[in-house]
């Protein structure tokens, strides 16, 4: 049975951040990723009803996002980071997040942000809150870009450890 | 983690490398050799790949967290976690390219293109209920297709059991609309544009007909929509190419005023009067089955108030045309649809700009009692906007009331980042001496800063002032206007196209305290330098004759 338009939008909205993150991870450029996301959203609204059920729609969305991301890379004459041969495994890595609600992810992230030091929170606020490039964060804080990458990398690592704990995925990660 | 976030790792390990490389990659600034290293890590190490996925999700969620509450709720997601202290900090507004808010705008854009009209109707079903009163609406004429679109609402109060409607909502034949006060603008597919003032009850019969049971409706009918009809309990008004208004009183009496062109008015049911054709300036009143025709120029014939076109309505009509102007890339009228609305609707249909996201601002009465403005008092108060269009020329025009001049510059509009390190970035502001100023990033490293002179008119505090600045990039001409009058014109070195991009209204993303203290009411960005006559025209149609007292309302 085909999906209703309402279901398509609900699934799209409930996976929007993961879908955007997936596209961003392939194209490596925030602006390009936003364009691709728009394209995928429009396609979903036009054609998503043809998919049999919600679970398959999630898979369809990711596959469409992958195709559109690769297409965007080709147009920009840019090699995608993820090799074609790895895409199936790569998709499986993303599928691990499918059962989670985005609200769960967000709650875990917010809770983990509270555990950061004031300085680290400030860096996150500059980079992601204000959308500054790392070079601009570096200018603002009078540090080198490499130092900012190092700091943000460390923050991501701390947040990843914390989120895994919050989401109870430590063991899951070890097992997989 | 160490208190110093920049301290080098004594023992980095491959895990640290993955996170650093991922950070650089998502920044869009990774070097070719680092990208190869990252690709190799992802290819060879499944654990690294999973960590990379986690970083991408984190980055996306962090970028998207500055969500206007209304937008995310309308999008259908409920029960969202409250923002963390970090995300509520002055640093964190909706700047992320992947904000939920931006995505909501995209989705709404998609919906309004007609792809998911049924769904949209379902979302807003409590607001616009399908008519069931078949005895009053000819069922044969109810179309199942969408006949009109809700274009805007202003200061509307809806019945308690109804949710506010969505701007851009498609409306099907038979849709019944009721509201207690305010103004609703609807565009019919036939080409007729109507503005209805509440309290009102109306039913959309078809693309060419509306039934008005109560309220005041003003119609502007294009040539292709000739024949557009307004049916009331006591008359049927058919347009013959014109602008007219119909007032359906609660008593059932009806008044028709013709501003331009002509209309046909037929009493309903047909009684002692035959249909008449009214010309420009004529009016008709149908009461107790009798129709009398008069002339709006004769005040004694009619209630003077109802015949007078209020200045606010005149501005509102002009505002609608401004929103449709192809040269307007962003147009914020500062009108909200419901009390706590957290986004600032962009009324421009031509540009690609998004709605604005308000942060720590307060809705307040605007320069007319009928409309709103946004009040900026908090140091972090701002509206985040995004105007991606590159501009070879620009006009920035806004109504602003500053509480005081100085002690620091006050930003009206500020592109994110510094103007001296982003080509095309724009900073429009009033400096500490009351001079109207604009700065923009020229070719890399150059910063152009133009200000009115101290011996020229200055921006003063305490009253609504209309401020405008034009820049023509090719010629380098910059002109400043206050209250429609040209204050000064200067020529600067020509520049690259201006790119406002993500920006703040009433504040600046740079950490040097350029926040505005006062109120803003209407801001337009044009893709060309308007003439002094045009700017004077905008000022004159928008200037309030009697400025209302400021009555603040907190969100």
């Amino acid at each position: 049975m085909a999906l209703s338009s309402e279901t398509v939008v609900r699934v799209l909205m409930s996976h929007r951040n993961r879908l955007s993150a997936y596209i961003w991870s392939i194209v490596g450029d925030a602006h390009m990723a936003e364009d691709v996301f728009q394209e995928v959203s429009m396609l979903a609204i036009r054609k998503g009803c043809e998919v049999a059920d919600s679970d398959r729609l999630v898979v369809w969305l990711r596959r469409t996002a992958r195709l559109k991301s690769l297409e965007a890379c080709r147009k920009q004459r840019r090699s995608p980071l993820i090799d074609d041969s790895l895409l199936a495994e790569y998709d499986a890595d993303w599928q691990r997040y499918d059962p989670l609600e985005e609200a769960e992810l967000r709650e875990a992230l917010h809770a983990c942000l509270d555990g950061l030091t004031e300085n680290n929170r400030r860096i996150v606020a500059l980079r992601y809150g204000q959308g500054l490039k790392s070079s601009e964060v570096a200018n603002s804080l009078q540090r080198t870009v490499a130092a900012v990458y190092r700091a943000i990398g460390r923050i991501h690592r701390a947040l990843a450890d914390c989120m895994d704990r919050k989401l109870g995925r430590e063991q899951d990660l070890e097992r997989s | 983690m160490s208190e110093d976030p920049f301290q080098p790792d004594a023992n980095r390990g491959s895990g640290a490398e993955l996170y650093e490389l991922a950070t650089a990659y998502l920044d869009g600034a990774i070097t070719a050799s680092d990208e190869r290293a990252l690709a190799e890590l992802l290819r060879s190490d499944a654990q690294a790949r999973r960590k990379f996925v986690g970083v991408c999700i984190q980055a996306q969620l962090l970028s998207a967290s500055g969500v206007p509450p209304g937008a995310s709720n309308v999008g259908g997601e409920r029960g969202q976690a409250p923002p963390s202290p970090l995300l509520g900090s002055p640093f964190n507004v909706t700047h992320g390219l992947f904000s939920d808010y931006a995505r909501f705008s995209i989705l709404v854009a998609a919906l309004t293109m007609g792809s998911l009209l049924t769904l949209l109707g379902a979302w807003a079903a409590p607001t616009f209920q399908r008519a069931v009163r078949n005895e009053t609406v000819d069922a044969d004429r109810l179309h199942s297709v969408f006949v009109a679109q809700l274009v805007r609402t202003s200061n509307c109060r809806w019945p308690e059991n109804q949710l506010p409607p969505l701007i851009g909502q498609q409306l099907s034949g038979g849709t019944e609309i009721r509201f207690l006060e305010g103004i609703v603008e609807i565009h019919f597919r036939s080409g007729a544009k109507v503005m209805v003032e509440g309290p009102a009850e109306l039913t959309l019969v078809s693309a060419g007909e509306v039934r008005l049971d109560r309220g005041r409706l003003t119609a502007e009918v294009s040539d292709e929509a000739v024949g557009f009809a307004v049916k009331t309990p006591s008359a049927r008004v058919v347009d013959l190419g014109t602008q007219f208004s119909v007032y359906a009183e609660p008593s059932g009496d009806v008044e028709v005023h013709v501003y331009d062109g002509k209309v046909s008015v037929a009493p309903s049911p047909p009684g002692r009067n035959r249909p008449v054709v009214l010309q420009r300036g004529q009016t008709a009143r149908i009461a107790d089955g009798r129709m009398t025709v008069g002339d709006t120029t004769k005040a004694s014939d009619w209630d003077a108030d109802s015949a007078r076109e209020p200045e606010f309505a005149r501005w509102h009509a002009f505002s609608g045309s401004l929103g449709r102007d192809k040269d307007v890339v962003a147009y914020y009228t500062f009108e909200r649809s419901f009390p706590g609305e957290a986004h600032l609707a962009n009324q421009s249909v031509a540009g690609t700009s998004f709605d604005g996201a308000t942060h720590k601002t307060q809705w307040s009465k605007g320069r007319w009692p009928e409309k709103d403005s946004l009040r900026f008092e908090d140091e972090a108060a701002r509206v985040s906007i995004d105007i991606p269009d590159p501009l070879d020329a620009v006009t920035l025009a806004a109504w602003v009331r500053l509480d005081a001049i100085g002690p620091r510059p006050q930003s009206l509009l500020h592109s994110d980042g510094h103007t001296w390190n982003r080509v095309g970035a724009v900073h429009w502001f009033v400096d500490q001496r009351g001079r109207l100023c604009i700065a923009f990033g020229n070719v890399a490293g150059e910063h152009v800063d133009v200000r009115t002179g101290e011996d020229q008119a200055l921006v003063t505090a305490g009253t609504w002032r209309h401020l405008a600045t034009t820049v023509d990039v090719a010629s380098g001409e910059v002109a400043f206007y206050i209250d429609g009058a040209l204050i000064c014109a200067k020529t600067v070195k020509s520049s690259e196209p201006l790119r406002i991009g993500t920006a703040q209204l009433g504040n600046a993303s740079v950490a040097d305290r350029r926040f505005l203290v006062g109120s803003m009411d209407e801001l337009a960005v044009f893709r060309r330098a308007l003439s002094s006559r045009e700017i004077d025209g905008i000022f004159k149609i928008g200037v309030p004759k009697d400025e209302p007292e400021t009555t603040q309302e907190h969100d």
Side-chain angles (χ1 to χ4, degrees), chain A residues 56-116:
Chain A
R56 287 184 204 183
L57 179 61
V58 174
V59 175
W60 181 90
L61 282 170
R62 193 159 39 235
R63 196 177 63 228
T64 306
R66 182 212 300 172
L67 292 172
K68 289 294 168 191
S69 299
L70 294 175
E71 193 178 296
C73 287
R74 273 197 300 277
K75 279 183 192 163
Q76 297 286 322
R77 298 172 187 277
R78 173 193 173 110
S79 303
L81 176 71
I82 310 297
D83 197 82
D84 276 356
S85 61
L86 268 181
L87 279 171
E89 292 168 56
Y90 189 58
D91 279 6
D93 294 331
W94 284 86
Q95 271 170 27
R96 293 155 46 78
Y97 287 88
D98 287 350
L100 292 171
E101 295 289 330
E102 287 206 347
E104 279 181 82
L105 287 166
R106 201 163 29 227
E107 277 174 33
L109 180 62
H110 287 179
C112 293
L113 283 169
D114 291 342
L116 295 181

Side-chain angles (χ1 to χ4, degrees), chain B residues 375-417:
Chain B
R375 176 134 187 91
F376 299 73
E377 279 186 343
D378 193 291
E379 289 187 19
R382 63 189 66 204
V383 180
S384 297
I385 59 170
D386 187 358
I387 304 177
D389 314 53
L391 303 165
D392 291 324
V394 71
T395 298
L396 303 169
W399 281 94
V400 178
R401 182 164 67 184
L402 300 179
D403 287 1
I405 301 299
R408 66 187 74 79
Q410 298 185 65
S411 285
L412 303 170
L413 182 154
H414 194 301
S415 296
D416 288 348

